[in-house]
Amino acid sequence: QVQLVESGGGLVQAGGTLRLSCTASGRISRINAMGWLRQTPGKQRELVASINSGGSTNYADSVKGRFTVSRDNAKSTVYLQMNSLKFEDTAVYYCQINVDSGPGFGINYWGQGTQVTVSS
């Protein structure tokens, strides 16, 4: 079993910064992609940023230039540095990792979610 523990959410004023962390533990052979998604009430969960095993990153247009995703493979941890936060960034943020389970296969695991609230 794999467990993900998130931290770093909270309340911040518009223009402020937060850094989210998500650490995986358990039976992990190899982590493929890692990333962050967010969800607000009544809306589908949306991808915020992801990073693959080679370090290539992908961002939602709404966060490009403000958010940075990174990973520390030795610590099985993914980070999301969020700068210049806007009211519309308010959401529950979930980390997701894809763990290798065989040639061409992977299993997705989710964190418990952490609330980010940006006051205007």
Side-chain angles (χ1 to χ4, degrees):
Q1 191 65 297
V2 175
Q3 297 82 37
L4 301 181
V5 177
E6 300 180 24
S7 62
L11 173 64
V12 65
Q13 288 188 333
T17 65
L18 282 175
R19 189 190 195 209
L20 306 183
S21 299
C22 174
T23 298
S25 62
R27 295 175 61 87
I28 301 172
S29 55
R30 178 177 180 272
I31 299 177
N32 299 318
M34 309 178 83
W36 295 89
L37 295 88
R38 65 187 180 188
Q39 188 170 25
T40 54
K43 293 188 177 181
Q44 287 189 334
R45 202 169 290 187
E46 63 171 0
L47 176 69
V48 177
S50 65
I51 181 168
N52 66 16
S53 58
S56 295
T57 58
N58 182 47
Y59 296 94
D61 288 342
S62 59
V63 307
K64 283 181 181 176
R66 300 188 297 121
F67 291 10
T68 302
V69 62
S70 61
R71 61 192 284 172
D72 184 333
N73 293 325
K75 296 181 179 179
S76 298
T77 298
V78 60
Y79 305 97
L80 185 67
Q81 177 68 42
M82 303 186 292
N83 299 330
S84 303
L85 281 160
K86 302 177 180 180
F87 175 76
E88 50 265 39
D89 294 319
T90 297
V92 177
Y93 284 70
Y94 298 89
C95 67
Q96 181 193 53
I97 69 169
N98 183 269
V99 176
D100 189 69
S101 62
F105 293 93
I107 300 174
N108 289 326
Y109 295 93
W110 293 88
Q112 79 280 10
T114 185
Q115 177 70 46
V116 170
T117 302
V118 183
S119 62
S120 57

